[in-house]
Amino acid sequence: MSKIQEVKSKVEQGRTKIIPGLVQEALDEGDKAEDILQVMIDAMSTVGDKFSAGEIFVPEMLVAAKAMSKGVDVLKPHLVSGDTSSLGTCIIGTVAGDLHDIGKNLVAMMIESAGFKVVDLGVDVPKEKFIEAVQQNDNVKIVACSGLLTTTMPAMKETVKALKESKLQGFKIMVGGAPVTPEFASEINADAYTPDAGSAAVEAKKLASA
Ligand code: B12
């Protein structure tokens, strides 16, 4: 098995301790950081399918998530550009009721790398906290909301509504996460949706300079 395939399989198995070493070995062998990240994302998708099929349960999903996060820590310096320009502040968080943060963390990392200051509110973030963060930080250009559960999509809608009704200005709202579609994004009045972290950073730059 190639090193990169080994990374995929060990993330699926949630082998947290050996993942950092394996990812480093894959990098040393010349695998691209973007490709290693992609196999880890694929691994999480397999884990989700196994969960849906009742083959694994929440604890297995959790250890797989931890393993992926450890791998991303090793990849981070290879994925970020080190752009030090300041395009403004991006507030990011996973919406209320939702504890998924891997995708949100990747989006935060890529947006930071594109030249924004990122204020990460974490997971299970109530709409009031997003508003407070816009009020308390300077030059907020982007508010990014992540959601991975169909059951928390209403919380995303409520968050966008509250931000739009807050009379605060100068920022655009981006939404994303596996169940979110462009149609849902426009239905809830978000300013932008993108399917992944790389395109989120490109879109954030576009929105901030519009
Ligand atoms: C890992 C995981 C967990 C972990 C999360 C740990 C963590 N620290 O995040 C744990 C074990 C805690 C968990 C719990 C649960 N989970 Co879960 N989980 C997953 C799993 C396997 C992987 C998610 C993931 O990290 N993917 C990898 C990342 C990189 O992808 P991503 O998050 O989609 O992010 C990318 C894009 O969506 C986008 N993006 C993300 N956010 C944003 C934001 C913006 C602004 C933009 C522009 C883009 C963007 O960019 C990202 C990078 O490219 C998914 C399966 C799946 N296919 O998604 C299920 C899944 C999301 N979980 C599911 C469920 C049901 C649950 C539980 C309800 C299970 C339970 N019975 O308790 C709980 C809910 C807990 C809660 N309240 O949140 C279901 C959701 C079903 C649904 N339709 O709602 C899924 C789909 C599994 C399944 N197939 O059934 N889960």
Side-chain angles (χ1 to χ4, degrees), residues 59-71:
E60 285 94 336
M61 273 206 294
L62 193 56
V63 285
K66 280 196 179 137
M68 173 155 182
S69 297
K70 291 278 175 203

Side-chain angles (χ1 to χ4, degrees), residues 47-59:
V47 166
D49 292 345
K50 287 187 177 166
F51 176 78
S52 294
E55 290 168 25
I56 61 164
F57 301 95
V58 171

Side-chain angles (χ1 to χ4, degrees), residues 41 44-45 47-48 51-52 58 61-62 65 68 97-104 106-107 144-146 148-150 174-178 194-197 200:
I41 292 175
M44 295 313 285
S45 170
V47 166
F51 176 78
S52 294
V58 171
M61 273 206 294
L62 193 56
M68 173 155 182
D98 201 322
L99 302 176
H100 295 83
D101 70 356
I102 298 182
K104 184 263 297 166
L106 288 176
V107 171
C145 304
S146 179
L148 263 284
L149 297 171
T150 43
M174 294 178 66
V175 293
T194 75
D196 57 48

